[in-house]
């Protein structure tokens, strides 16, 4: 794999007609993206190895970018998080970033359905000596979330990261609202969905799921939100 990362490695190709050229809004070219990484990226070697390993063994479209991982680690520290819920773990790249930012007594409950993909992450979690901070639960996300809700975890998490199947975005958000504390942060990934959210020709179940939650959050009085054009789009929602 080349060391030169391009935006399309992490963002689904956006058709030309969706390029926003309004004056004052700077399009991020591959060259500018390289500059951003050059002057800001502090991706540790183990995380880089996991990212490359993921690239070689899976669909890269599901992989978070290094700048997004670093941003999420910073959020963990800014919030002072000690308790994180991750809905959708894949190979554990974002998990590794967040676990590394947690204090020694911090904990991530990581939810996924795939033993195959998460086993790749587990190897790197152990190498990074953060595996003791990660409670991996293999089951359908809704089942795990329901168990947490019934086991006294409501309003206890500092951060909830949603990055699972997009058709159930709104369902996962409702669980997140219940499980995150007041003042806590919900992070929703892939909110731009490669530009398909603005294309009325795309009405598949995943696109509709992403689009529906995006539209819902604007009017949700339980949270304060900001959508960022980072990676494939990230929404930050602070529970009021």
């Amino acid at each position: 794999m080349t060391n030169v990362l391009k935006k399309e490695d992490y963002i689904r190709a956006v058709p030309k007609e969706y390029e926003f050229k309004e004056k004052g809004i700077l399009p991020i070219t591959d060259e500018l993206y390289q500059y951003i990484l050059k002057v800001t990226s502090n991706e540790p070697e183990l995380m880089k190895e996991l990212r490359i390993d993921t690239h070689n063994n899976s669909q890269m479209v599901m992989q978070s970018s290094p700048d997004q991982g670093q941003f999420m680690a910073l959020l963990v520290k800014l919030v002072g998080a000690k308790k994180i819920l991750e809905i959708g773990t894949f190979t554990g790249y974002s998990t590794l970033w967040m676990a590394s930012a947690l204090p020694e007594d911090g904990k991530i409950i990581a939810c996924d359905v795939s033993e195959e993909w998460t086993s790749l992450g587990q190897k790197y979690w152990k190498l990074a000596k953060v595996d003791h901070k990660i409670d991996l639960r293999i089951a359908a996300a809704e089942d795990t979330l329901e168990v947490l809700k019934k086991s006294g975890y409501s309003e206890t998490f500092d951060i909830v990261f949603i990055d699972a199947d997009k058709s159930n975005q709104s369902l996962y958000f409702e669980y997140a609202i219940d499980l995150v504390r007041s003042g806590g942060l919900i992070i929703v990934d892939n909110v731009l969905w490669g530009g398909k959210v603005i294309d009325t020709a795309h009405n598949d179940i995943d696109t509709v799921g992403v689009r529906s939650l995006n539209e819902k959050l604007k009017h949700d009085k339980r949270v304060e939100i900001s959508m960022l054009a980072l990676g494939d789009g990230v929404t930050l929602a602070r529970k009021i």
Side-chain angles (χ1 to χ4, degrees):
M1 174 185 173
T2 177
N3 288 328
V4 177
L5 299 178
K6 296 183 179 181
K7 288 189 300 172
E8 60 260 31
D9 290 334
Y10 303 100
I11 309 172
R12 293 164 184 81
V14 180
K16 278 282 185 183
E17 60 266 29
Y18 301 141
E19 290 182 359
F20 190 69
K21 298 179 180 178
E22 186 69 28
K23 189 174 181 180
I25 303 296
L26 180 66
I28 302 299
T29 63
D30 285 336
E31 291 76 17
L32 275 175
Y33 183 59
Q34 287 300 313
Y35 176 78
I36 291 169
L37 293 178
K38 178 182 177 182
V39 299
T40 66
S41 180
N42 289 307
E43 182 183 35
E45 189 60 32
L46 269 176
M47 294 182 189
K48 180 180 178 181
E49 290 177 12
L50 173 54
R51 177 168 54 79
I52 292 173
D53 210 350
T54 299
H55 180 274
N56 292 335
N57 289 282
S58 69
Q59 293 182 332
M60 192 64 171
V61 74
M62 297 175 68
Q63 174 73 67
S64 297
S65 60
D67 49 328
Q68 181 179 337
Q70 186 169 314
F71 176 71
M72 289 173 59
L74 179 60
L75 288 177
V76 171
K77 294 180 180 180
L78 287 173
V79 172
K82 294 183 71 174
K83 199 170 179 181
I84 299 172
L85 173 62
E86 181 179 60
I87 306 171
T89 297
F90 191 36
T91 63
Y93 181 74
S94 57
T95 324
L96 182 54
W97 271 108
M98 292 190 290
S100 298
L102 281 172
E104 274 302 302
D105 60 344
K107 184 71 71 175
I108 295 180
I109 294 180
C111 311
D112 207 277
V113 294
S114 174
E115 293 184 0
E116 178 185 2
W117 294 130
T118 54
S119 65
L120 181 60
Q122 286 179 288
K123 179 177 71 173
Y124 287 93
W125 300 343
K126 188 172 183 179
L127 288 170
K129 299 180 180 179
V130 297
D131 54 311
H132 62 286
K133 301 180 187 179
I134 303 169
D135 177 2
L136 177 62
R137 304 196 181 190
I138 301 295
E142 185 177 0
D143 293 344
T144 299
L145 295 171
E146 191 63 29
V147 168
L148 292 174
K149 185 176 178 179
K150 292 179 178 178
S151 302
Y153 281 87
S154 292
E155 299 187 329
T156 64
F157 289 97
D158 302 299
I159 292 176
V160 178
F161 178 44
I162 302 174
D163 189 21
D165 56 296
K166 307 311 170 188
S167 60
N168 285 310
Q169 289 277 71
S170 291
L171 173 66
Y172 298 147
F173 185 81
E174 289 304 316
Y175 274 109
I177 278 288
D178 180 78
L179 293 165
V180 75
R181 64 171 172 80
S182 178
L185 186 64
I186 300 170
I187 307 171
V188 187
D189 203 7
N190 303 117
V191 295
L192 297 180
W193 203 230
K196 287 199 242 181
V197 287
I198 60 171
D199 187 347
T200 56
H202 286 278
N203 290 296
D204 57 276
I205 190 170
D206 290 323
T207 302
V208 170
V210 174
R211 189 184 290 141
S212 296
L213 181 58
N214 289 346
E215 293 168 356
K216 171 184 173 180
L217 289 184
K218 180 177 180 179
H219 305 288
D220 195 322
K221 303 302 183 183
R222 299 171 296 177
V223 292
E224 300 168 321
I225 66 168
S226 181
M227 183 183 286
L228 308 176
L230 175 68
D232 192 29
V234 176
T235 290
L236 305 181
R238 177 184 176 273
K239 181 178 176 180
I240 297 173

